[in-house]
Amino acid sequence: RSRGERELQPSLSLLSCPGAGQEVQTENVTVAEGGVAEITCRLHQYDGSIVVIQNPARQTLFFNGTRALKDERFQLEEFSPRRVRIRLSDARLEDEGGYFCQLYTEDTHHQIATLTVLATVAPENPVVEVREQAVEGGEVELSCLVPRSRPVAVLRWYRDRKELKGVSSSRENGKVWSVASTVRFRVDRKDDGDIVICEAQNQALPSGHIKQTQYVLDVQYSPTARIHASQAVVREGDTLVLTCAVAGNPRPNQIRWSRGNESLPERAEAFGETLTLPGLVSADNGTYTCEASNKHGHARALYVLVVYDPGAVVEAQTSVPYAIVGGILALLVFLIICVLVGMVWCSVRQKGSYLTHEASGLDEQGEAREAFLNGSDGHKRKEEFFI
């Protein structure tokens, strides 16, 4: 049958009232959650005595056919000498239990019709909480809670698409289960703003469906500071704007400007993260500092201001070509001097006397040995000079 109509075959119980010979029968009923259940009390040899129907909490639903409890889900379908039949719509887990059919004669007798609700409870979106404020360099502990599921939901943690290992526990709460999971990991300032996901799933959810909650990490850390100038080169008469870029969690709410051991120029305008210096002059030169702090620490940044004279800058730019030409000329003169010195040194080493082929007498001697032994005695030495 459909979810709203599914029932099991009823089991009959018989109560005999010996004083009056009356009998009461009840039927046990099983229904799917959200469905419709009919609870019936059958009467035999009924003589008009009082009949009372009560729920598992022993609250009277109907007294002799008259409504006693203001729960519109229960409707009296039939009240006759043969049977009493009530209809329960939108059956819930809390409706489970024994329903009493009471027949008041000389003695009070009752019979119980047991209602069973077949239910799978899908988990809702998990609730993620942090145990205490996360601080850089420490650990953060997150808890994920699903207060109601049946069967027990499975919880998983994810961060940067990687599963984290958590510790889970479950507790039965009436007809459903409460499930919790905790996870711990170290954090740094770069983790601030990261997303951690807790997912819940059980068989009550359609295939492939999950319930999840995203938690954005809030990691507190000490501040940092850095000064940015509105221009790289500043000249007399310019307006310079210095910006102190600060970061921290919690964000520093006060920034203080100073100039070394001196006070800021009277023309300076300090407003939060910016310091404006209009009409710069050389007297404004110095080291400017911005300072910021929060409960986790202190930060400072420095900027050295040098105001240039426009005339001096132009003169320095025009003097650059002459310096280059002078250097090249000096290098050429040095190379010429080196060449002349080398030539003189070579001439000195080559100057002297030596025997030529003709002077050695080799033309008149038959053999080289005779020429060598006699040539130096019989011929005049020939001298040549090389300059």
Side-chain angles (χ1 to χ4, degrees):
R1 297 184 181 181
S2 65
R3 186 171 182 266
E5 299 176 347
R6 184 177 58 183
E7 297 181 358
L8 297 183
Q9 293 295 330
S11 60
L12 303 180
S13 299
L14 178 65
L15 173 66
S16 175
C17 302
Q22 300 183 87
E23 297 177 350
V24 178
Q25 292 178 334
T26 60
E27 301 175 353
N28 294 333
V29 180
T30 299
V31 64
E33 184 181 30
V36 177
E38 289 189 352
I39 301 173
T40 303
C41 297
R42 298 185 185 277
L43 307 176
H44 296 275
Q45 300 180 10
Y46 177 64
D47 63 356
S49 300
I50 296 174
V51 178
V52 176
I53 309 296
Q54 293 182 326
N55 65 14
R58 300 307 296 268
Q59 297 173 319
T60 299
L61 297 175
F62 296 95
F63 182 89
N64 250 19
T66 303
R67 177 184 296 277
L69 184 66
K70 294 181 179 181
D71 188 341
E72 297 300 326
R73 295 181 304 129
F74 291 93
Q75 297 292 331
L76 182 64
E77 295 290 311
E78 180 182 353
F79 184 83
S80 67
R82 299 191 61 180
R83 64 180 178 180
V84 178
R85 180 165 56 91
I86 63 175
R87 177 184 176 91
L88 169 64
S89 59
D90 189 21
R92 305 168 186 171
L93 282 175
E94 51 266 31
D95 296 326
E96 274 193 341
Y99 286 77
F100 297 83
C101 288
Q102 298 186 138
L103 180 62
Y104 289 88
T105 57
E106 296 179 357
D107 298 320
T108 301
H109 302 279
H110 68 267
Q111 190 69 9
I112 299 175
T114 301
L115 174 66
T116 301
V117 179
L118 298 179
T120 56
V121 179
E124 298 296 328
N125 288 330
V127 178
V128 179
E129 296 178 344
V130 62
R131 181 176 181 181
E132 59 185 15
Q133 178 63 57
V135 180
E136 65 171 331
E139 284 191 336
V140 62
E141 180 177 321
L142 301 179
S143 64
C144 179
L145 175 65
V146 173
R148 192 169 182 269
S149 66
R150 180 175 175 178
V152 179
V154 177
L155 304 183
R156 292 185 177 91
W157 293 94
Y158 292 93
R159 181 185 178 194
D160 296 332
R161 298 183 180 180
K162 297 180 180 178
E163 185 172 357
L164 303 177
K165 185 177 181 181
V167 179
S168 298
S169 60
S170 58
R171 179 172 57 88
E172 190 172 8
N173 184 15
K175 306 294 183 178
V176 295
W177 291 85
S178 173
V179 188
S181 178
T182 59
V183 65
R184 293 176 62 94
F185 51 88
R186 297 190 67 83
V187 291
D188 205 346
R189 64 175 60 201
K190 62 181 176 59
D191 299 320
D192 185 42
D194 281 1
I195 295 177
V196 180
I197 300 174
C198 178
E199 292 184 352
Q201 187 177 26
N202 73 356
Q203 292 88 332
L205 289 170
S207 177
H209 287 67
I210 58 173
K211 296 289 186 176
Q212 67 168 256
T213 297
Q214 296 184 350
Y215 179 83
V216 180
L217 288 176
D218 178 24
V219 181
Q220 294 191 351
Y221 54 91
S222 58
T224 59
R226 186 176 181 181
I227 296 179
H228 300 284
S230 59
Q231 58 195 73
V233 178
V234 290
R235 299 176 175 84
E236 288 189 351
D238 288 350
T239 296
L240 179 66
V241 178
L242 300 180
T243 303
C244 184
V246 297
N249 188 14
R251 182 176 176 80
N253 53 12
Q254 290 187 349
I255 297 176
R256 189 173 70 88
W257 289 93
S258 61
R259 181 177 65 159
N261 296 325
E262 306 176 68
S263 60
L264 292 173
E266 294 182 358
R267 294 168 285 101
E269 300 175 359
F271 183 76
E273 298 181 359
T274 61
L275 174 66
T276 304
L277 300 169
L280 289 171
V281 295
S282 58
D284 296 330
N285 290 344
T287 301
Y288 290 78
T289 304
C290 75
E291 298 177 90
S293 61
N294 63 14
K295 63 181 181 180
H296 298 292
H298 179 83
R300 61 183 304 189
L302 305 177
Y303 176 81
V304 178
L305 173 61
V306 178
V307 180
Y308 292 95
D309 182 357
V313 173
V314 173
E315 181 179 353
Q317 291 177 348
T318 56
S319 65
V320 170
Y322 295 105
I324 295 175
V325 174
I328 295 174
L329 291 176
L331 179 61
L332 290 175
V333 171
F334 176 75
L335 292 175
I336 293 172
I337 293 175
C338 291
V339 171
L340 292 176
V341 171
M343 292 177 64
V344 172
W345 181 76
C346 290
S347 66
V348 171
R349 285 184 56 86
Q350 295 294 333
K351 185 177 182 181
S353 61
Y354 59 93
L355 293 176
T356 65
H357 180 73
E358 296 85 356
S360 64
L362 292 178
D363 292 337
E364 301 175 1
Q365 303 296 331
E367 296 183 4
R369 182 178 179 83
E370 279 184 330
F372 179 76
L373 296 175
N374 302 325
S376 60
D377 296 332
H379 296 80
K380 185 179 176 179
R381 181 183 299 272
K382 185 177 180 178
E383 295 183 357
E384 290 185 4
F385 298 91
F386 175 78
I387 298 178

